[in-house]
Amino acid sequence: MSVDLELVLFDIGGVLGTNGWDREQRTAAAVRFDLDADDVQYRHEETIGDLESGRISLDEYLDVTVFCRRRAFTREEFKAFMLAQSEPWPESIAVARNVAASRRVRLATFNNESAELNEHRIRLFGLHEIFATFFSSCWLGVRKPTLAAYRRVLGMTQADPGRTVFIDDRPQNLSPAEGLGMQVILFTGARSLREELRTFGVIGARES
């Protein structure tokens, strides 16, 4: 592919590891702590935008969604469970590490996440060793797929959209990027991601 890339953006949840606090994690929490899943989901939908945009803290979110009534477990126990749901995907992380080692492009993450979970996942996945910049909704103040999020990333990097590739596992998050002229890759697995990035020339033929 004859595109001279300058910036590669990786989503985190669903690309470099499990999601942080998506439906499957909330379902597991409802089972583990014997919560009314429908009630938690309703309260979650009311507050997740503010949480992931950095307008409320994780404690404020939990006050509304879980600790709105007396519980038989502590806030610390619930938070520990939340954090434990994050698992890195070594094969995908190895792809990002290979791109970083090539020194052919700038790398950054671009994801929706609350601050406390995001910082935990960056440490757990070892992402500070690969990425110099983390464009996370909790610090951007806006979330994907809102166009403002993509425009802020492009503005802060001053990258040419046509020379930027964005990797995400959700088509709805890729559409706005395409609309702004960015190259996109729908993540389906580490092996196919490696091959697609190889066609862009940011991973060498011998790198695996």
Side-chain angles (χ1 to χ4, degrees):
M1 188 173 294
S2 59
V3 177
D4 182 21
L5 291 182
E6 61 172 306
L7 176 65
V8 178
L9 299 167
F10 279 79
D11 181 31
I12 297 180
V15 174
L16 298 175
T18 59
N19 288 313
W21 190 237
D22 213 333
R23 186 176 294 272
E24 60 265 35
Q25 288 79 33
R26 297 193 303 276
T27 298
V31 172
R32 166 65 179 80
F33 294 100
D34 193 24
L35 300 172
D36 181 335
D38 289 338
D39 182 61
V40 171
Q41 180 62 23
Y42 170 77
R43 293 169 179 274
H44 168 82
E45 290 172 358
E46 292 290 301
T47 51
I48 188 60
D50 286 333
L51 175 66
E52 290 189 342
S53 298
R55 290 189 290 270
I56 63 172
S57 68
L58 181 57
D59 279 322
E60 289 176 286
Y61 167 84
L62 291 176
D63 284 341
V64 174
T65 56
V66 178
F67 295 97
C68 46
R69 63 194 62 163
R70 215 167 170 76
R71 299 296 187 186
F73 51 89
T74 67
R75 185 179 298 262
E76 289 68 30
E77 288 173 317
F78 194 86
K79 280 187 177 181
F81 181 88
M82 289 181 75
L83 297 179
Q85 302 313 295
S86 291
E87 296 180 7
W89 291 346
E91 291 184 359
S92 296
I93 292 172
V95 174
R97 196 178 297 276
N98 287 159
V99 177
S102 76
R103 300 184 181 275
R104 297 169 189 168
V105 290
R106 291 181 285 163
L107 270 77
T109 63
F110 181 26
N111 68 315
N112 290 342
E113 198 73 85
S114 62
E116 191 166 337
L117 272 174
N118 199 46
E119 291 169 359
H120 167 74
R121 287 154 65 77
I122 289 170
R123 290 192 302 270
L124 178 67
F125 295 4
L127 300 185
H128 61 282
E129 300 170 1
I130 303 170
F131 301 93
T133 307
F134 299 91
F135 293 111
S136 302
S137 60
C138 56
W139 300 319
L140 289 172
V142 285
R143 299 192 299 162
K144 301 176 299 186
T146 306
L147 266 176
Y150 303 79
R151 286 178 174 145
R152 287 185 189 183
V153 170
L154 290 173
M156 294 165 87
T157 59
Q158 286 298 291
D160 178 348
R163 298 177 61 203
T164 299
V165 64
F166 173 46
I167 304 155
D168 201 291
D169 63 312
R170 297 183 178 182
Q172 64 267 33
N173 289 337
L174 295 175
S175 294
E178 280 189 298
L180 290 172
M182 297 164 66
Q183 310 291 323
V184 299
I185 296 175
L186 177 64
F187 178 84
T188 57
R191 180 175 296 181
S192 61
L193 175 60
R194 184 182 299 280
E195 291 307 313
E196 291 193 70
L197 287 172
R198 188 168 282 140
T199 67
F200 280 106
V202 295
I203 292 182
R206 295 186 178 180
E207 292 172 294
S208 60

PDB file of all heavy atoms in Angstrom, residues 11 18 46 68 73 75 82 91-92 103 123 130 136 138 147-148 195 199:
ATOM      1  N   ASP A  11      -6.601   1.411  19.457  1.00  0.00           N
ATOM      2  CA  ASP A  11      -7.562   1.274  20.549  1.00  0.00           C
ATOM      3  C   ASP A  11      -6.951   0.312  21.568  1.00  0.00           C
ATOM      4  O   ASP A  11      -6.042  -0.459  21.238  1.00  0.00           O
ATOM      5  CB  ASP A  11      -8.885   0.731  19.991  1.00  0.00           C
ATOM      6  CG  ASP A  11      -9.963   0.574  21.049  1.00  0.00           C
ATOM      7  OD1 ASP A  11      -9.964   1.365  22.023  1.00  0.00           O
ATOM      8  OD2 ASP A  11     -10.791  -0.346  20.924  1.00  0.00           O
ATOM      9  N   THR A  18      -8.550  -7.233  26.866  1.00  0.00           N
ATOM     10  CA  THR A  18      -9.989  -7.270  27.098  1.00  0.00           C
ATOM     11  C   THR A  18     -10.518  -5.859  27.338  1.00  0.00           C
ATOM     12  O   THR A  18      -9.754  -4.936  27.645  1.00  0.00           O
ATOM     13  CB  THR A  18     -10.325  -8.123  28.329  1.00  0.00           C
ATOM     14  OG1 THR A  18      -9.660  -7.557  29.473  1.00  0.00           O
ATOM     15  CG2 THR A  18      -9.893  -9.565  28.151  1.00  0.00           C
ATOM     16  N   GLU A  46     -26.820   5.938  32.517  1.00  0.00           N
ATOM     17  CA  GLU A  46     -27.029   7.318  32.942  1.00  0.00           C
ATOM     18  C   GLU A  46     -25.723   8.044  33.264  1.00  0.00           C
ATOM     19  O   GLU A  46     -25.675   9.274  33.233  1.00  0.00           O
ATOM     20  CB  GLU A  46     -27.943   7.346  34.186  1.00  0.00           C
ATOM     21  CG  GLU A  46     -29.386   6.921  33.926  1.00  0.00           C
ATOM     22  CD  GLU A  46     -30.129   7.954  33.106  1.00  0.00           C
ATOM     23  OE1 GLU A  46     -30.224   9.106  33.548  1.00  0.00           O
ATOM     24  OE2 GLU A  46     -30.601   7.599  32.004  1.00  0.00           O
ATOM     25  N   CYS A  68     -25.655   2.714  45.709  1.00  0.00           N
ATOM     26  CA  CYS A  68     -26.840   3.543  45.915  1.00  0.00           C
ATOM     27  C   CYS A  68     -27.682   2.979  47.061  1.00  0.00           C
ATOM     28  O   CYS A  68     -28.681   3.583  47.473  1.00  0.00           O
ATOM     29  CB  CYS A  68     -27.672   3.589  44.636  1.00  0.00           C
ATOM     30  SG  CYS A  68     -27.911   1.957  43.888  1.00  0.00           S
ATOM     31  N   PHE A  73     -20.840  -6.099  50.598  1.00  0.00           N
ATOM     32  CA  PHE A  73     -19.433  -6.086  50.211  1.00  0.00           C
ATOM     33  C   PHE A  73     -18.946  -4.638  50.248  1.00  0.00           C
ATOM     34  O   PHE A  73     -19.743  -3.696  50.248  1.00  0.00           O
ATOM     35  CB  PHE A  73     -19.241  -6.680  48.815  1.00  0.00           C
ATOM     36  CG  PHE A  73     -20.145  -6.096  47.770  1.00  0.00           C
ATOM     37  CD1 PHE A  73     -19.775  -4.967  47.044  1.00  0.00           C
ATOM     38  CD2 PHE A  73     -21.386  -6.667  47.506  1.00  0.00           C
ATOM     39  CE1 PHE A  73     -20.614  -4.421  46.084  1.00  0.00           C
ATOM     40  CE2 PHE A  73     -22.238  -6.126  46.538  1.00  0.00           C
ATOM     41  CZ  PHE A  73     -21.853  -5.004  45.830  1.00  0.00           C
ATOM     42  N   ARG A  75     -16.590  -1.261  48.969  1.00  0.00           N
ATOM     43  CA  ARG A  75     -16.201  -0.558  47.745  1.00  0.00           C
ATOM     44  C   ARG A  75     -14.838  -1.078  47.254  1.00  0.00           C
ATOM     45  O   ARG A  75     -14.632  -1.232  46.056  1.00  0.00           O
ATOM     46  CB  ARG A  75     -16.134   0.947  48.027  1.00  0.00           C
ATOM     47  CG  ARG A  75     -15.856   1.821  46.820  1.00  0.00           C
ATOM     48  CD  ARG A  75     -15.847   3.268  47.255  1.00  0.00           C
ATOM     49  NE  ARG A  75     -17.137   3.678  47.789  1.00  0.00           N
ATOM     50  CZ  ARG A  75     -18.068   4.334  47.106  1.00  0.00           C
ATOM     51  NH1 ARG A  75     -17.842   4.670  45.852  1.00  0.00           N
ATOM     52  NH2 ARG A  75     -19.206   4.670  47.667  1.00  0.00           N
ATOM     53  N   MET A  82     -13.354  -5.095  39.583  1.00  0.00           N
ATOM     54  CA  MET A  82     -13.337  -4.343  38.324  1.00  0.00           C
ATOM     55  C   MET A  82     -11.954  -4.402  37.675  1.00  0.00           C
ATOM     56  O   MET A  82     -11.825  -4.711  36.483  1.00  0.00           O
ATOM     57  CB  MET A  82     -13.714  -2.878  38.558  1.00  0.00           C
ATOM     58  CG  MET A  82     -15.158  -2.619  38.905  1.00  0.00           C
ATOM     59  SD  MET A  82     -15.497  -0.845  39.127  1.00  0.00           S
ATOM     60  CE  MET A  82     -15.484  -0.277  37.417  1.00  0.00           C
ATOM     61  N   GLU A  91      -0.187 -11.254  22.111  1.00  0.00           N
ATOM     62  CA  GLU A  91       0.086 -11.272  20.673  1.00  0.00           C
ATOM     63  C   GLU A  91      -0.186  -9.912  20.038  1.00  0.00           C
ATOM     64  O   GLU A  91       0.574  -9.460  19.172  1.00  0.00           O
ATOM     65  CB  GLU A  91      -0.750 -12.356  19.989  1.00  0.00           C
ATOM     66  CG  GLU A  91      -0.318 -13.772  20.364  1.00  0.00           C
ATOM     67  CD  GLU A  91      -1.103 -14.822  19.600  1.00  0.00           C
ATOM     68  OE1 GLU A  91      -1.993 -14.451  18.801  1.00  0.00           O
ATOM     69  OE2 GLU A  91      -0.832 -16.016  19.808  1.00  0.00           O
ATOM     70  N   SER A  92      -1.254  -9.256  20.454  1.00  0.00           N
ATOM     71  CA  SER A  92      -1.561  -7.924  19.919  1.00  0.00           C
ATOM     72  C   SER A  92      -0.550  -6.897  20.407  1.00  0.00           C
ATOM     73  O   SER A  92      -0.113  -6.019  19.649  1.00  0.00           O
ATOM     74  CB  SER A  92      -2.968  -7.500  20.336  1.00  0.00           C
ATOM     75  OG  SER A  92      -3.944  -8.345  19.772  1.00  0.00           O
ATOM     76  N   ARG A 103      10.530   2.316  14.461  1.00  0.00           N
ATOM     77  CA  ARG A 103      10.816   3.760  14.506  1.00  0.00           C
ATOM     78  C   ARG A 103      10.438   4.473  13.206  1.00  0.00           C
ATOM     79  O   ARG A 103      11.025   5.494  12.853  1.00  0.00           O
ATOM     80  CB  ARG A 103      12.292   4.014  14.841  1.00  0.00           C
ATOM     81  CG  ARG A 103      12.719   3.455  16.180  1.00  0.00           C
ATOM     82  CD  ARG A 103      14.150   3.798  16.513  1.00  0.00           C
ATOM     83  NE  ARG A 103      14.549   3.237  17.786  1.00  0.00           N
ATOM     84  CZ  ARG A 103      14.333   3.803  18.978  1.00  0.00           C
ATOM     85  NH1 ARG A 103      13.691   4.951  19.038  1.00  0.00           N
ATOM     86  NH2 ARG A 103      14.737   3.214  20.082  1.00  0.00           N
ATOM     87  N   ARG A 123      -0.555   0.360  32.967  1.00  0.00           N
ATOM     88  CA  ARG A 123       0.497  -0.301  33.756  1.00  0.00           C
ATOM     89  C   ARG A 123       0.482  -1.814  33.549  1.00  0.00           C
ATOM     90  O   ARG A 123       1.524  -2.426  33.284  1.00  0.00           O
ATOM     91  CB  ARG A 123       0.312   0.015  35.249  1.00  0.00           C
ATOM     92  CG  ARG A 123       0.605   1.456  35.641  1.00  0.00           C
ATOM     93  CD  ARG A 123       0.686   1.591  37.152  1.00  0.00           C
ATOM     94  NE  ARG A 123      -0.546   1.166  37.808  1.00  0.00           N
ATOM     95  CZ  ARG A 123      -1.564   1.970  38.079  1.00  0.00           C
ATOM     96  NH1 ARG A 123      -1.514   3.252  37.732  1.00  0.00           N
ATOM     97  NH2 ARG A 123      -2.648   1.505  38.692  1.00  0.00           N
ATOM     98  N   ILE A 130       5.722   1.173  25.180  1.00  0.00           N
ATOM     99  CA  ILE A 130       5.488   1.171  23.729  1.00  0.00           C
ATOM    100  C   ILE A 130       5.023   2.527  23.230  1.00  0.00           C
ATOM    101  O   ILE A 130       5.489   3.018  22.196  1.00  0.00           O
ATOM    102  CB  ILE A 130       4.430   0.101  23.365  1.00  0.00           C
ATOM    103  CG1 ILE A 130       4.889  -1.269  23.856  1.00  0.00           C
ATOM    104  CG2 ILE A 130       4.148   0.098  21.868  1.00  0.00           C
ATOM    105  CD1 ILE A 130       3.807  -2.337  23.763  1.00  0.00           C
ATOM    106  N   SER A 136      -6.932   9.303  25.648  1.00  0.00           N
ATOM    107  CA  SER A 136      -8.040   8.612  26.296  1.00  0.00           C
ATOM    108  C   SER A 136      -9.173   9.594  26.570  1.00  0.00           C
ATOM    109  O   SER A 136      -8.930  10.757  26.895  1.00  0.00           O
ATOM    110  CB  SER A 136      -7.572   7.973  27.604  1.00  0.00           C
ATOM    111  OG  SER A 136      -6.498   7.075  27.353  1.00  0.00           O
ATOM    112  N   CYS A 138     -11.044  10.051  28.976  1.00  0.00           N
ATOM    113  CA  CYS A 138     -11.057  10.684  30.299  1.00  0.00           C
ATOM    114  C   CYS A 138     -10.187  11.933  30.336  1.00  0.00           C
ATOM    115  O   CYS A 138     -10.397  12.810  31.179  1.00  0.00           O
ATOM    116  CB  CYS A 138     -10.604   9.690  31.362  1.00  0.00           C
ATOM    117  SG  CYS A 138      -8.966   8.960  31.066  1.00  0.00           S
ATOM    118  N   LEU A 147     -17.233  13.013  16.682  1.00  0.00           N
ATOM    119  CA  LEU A 147     -16.230  13.582  15.776  1.00  0.00           C
ATOM    120  C   LEU A 147     -15.211  14.450  16.503  1.00  0.00           C
ATOM    121  O   LEU A 147     -14.040  14.493  16.130  1.00  0.00           O
ATOM    122  CB  LEU A 147     -16.909  14.405  14.685  1.00  0.00           C
ATOM    123  CG  LEU A 147     -17.228  13.698  13.365  1.00  0.00           C
ATOM    124  CD1 LEU A 147     -17.988  14.636  12.446  1.00  0.00           C
ATOM    125  CD2 LEU A 147     -15.953  13.193  12.693  1.00  0.00           C
ATOM    126  N   ALA A 148     -15.657  15.138  17.542  1.00  0.00           N
ATOM    127  CA  ALA A 148     -14.748  16.023  18.280  1.00  0.00           C
ATOM    128  C   ALA A 148     -13.547  15.263  18.828  1.00  0.00           C
ATOM    129  O   ALA A 148     -12.442  15.813  18.901  1.00  0.00           O
ATOM    130  CB  ALA A 148     -15.494  16.713  19.413  1.00  0.00           C
ATOM    131  N   GLU A 195      -0.350  -8.411   9.414  1.00  0.00           N
ATOM    132  CA  GLU A 195      -0.264  -8.421   7.951  1.00  0.00           C
ATOM    133  C   GLU A 195      -0.716  -7.089   7.356  1.00  0.00           C
ATOM    134  O   GLU A 195      -0.118  -6.588   6.401  1.00  0.00           O
ATOM    135  CB  GLU A 195      -1.080  -9.578   7.387  1.00  0.00           C
ATOM    136  CG  GLU A 195      -0.506 -10.953   7.691  1.00  0.00           C
ATOM    137  CD  GLU A 195       0.944 -11.083   7.274  1.00  0.00           C
ATOM    138  OE1 GLU A 195       1.286 -10.676   6.131  1.00  0.00           O
ATOM    139  OE2 GLU A 195       1.758 -11.561   8.091  1.00  0.00           O
ATOM    140  N   THR A 199       1.536  -4.260   5.168  1.00  0.00           N
ATOM    141  CA  THR A 199       1.248  -3.661   3.859  1.00  0.00           C
ATOM    142  C   THR A 199       1.453  -2.147   3.882  1.00  0.00           C
ATOM    143  O   THR A 199       1.696  -1.542   2.844  1.00  0.00           O
ATOM    144  CB  THR A 199      -0.184  -3.980   3.388  1.00  0.00           C
ATOM    145  OG1 THR A 199      -1.125  -3.318   4.238  1.00  0.00           O
ATOM    146  CG2 THR A 199      -0.460  -5.469   3.384  1.00  0.00           C
TER     147      THR A 199
END
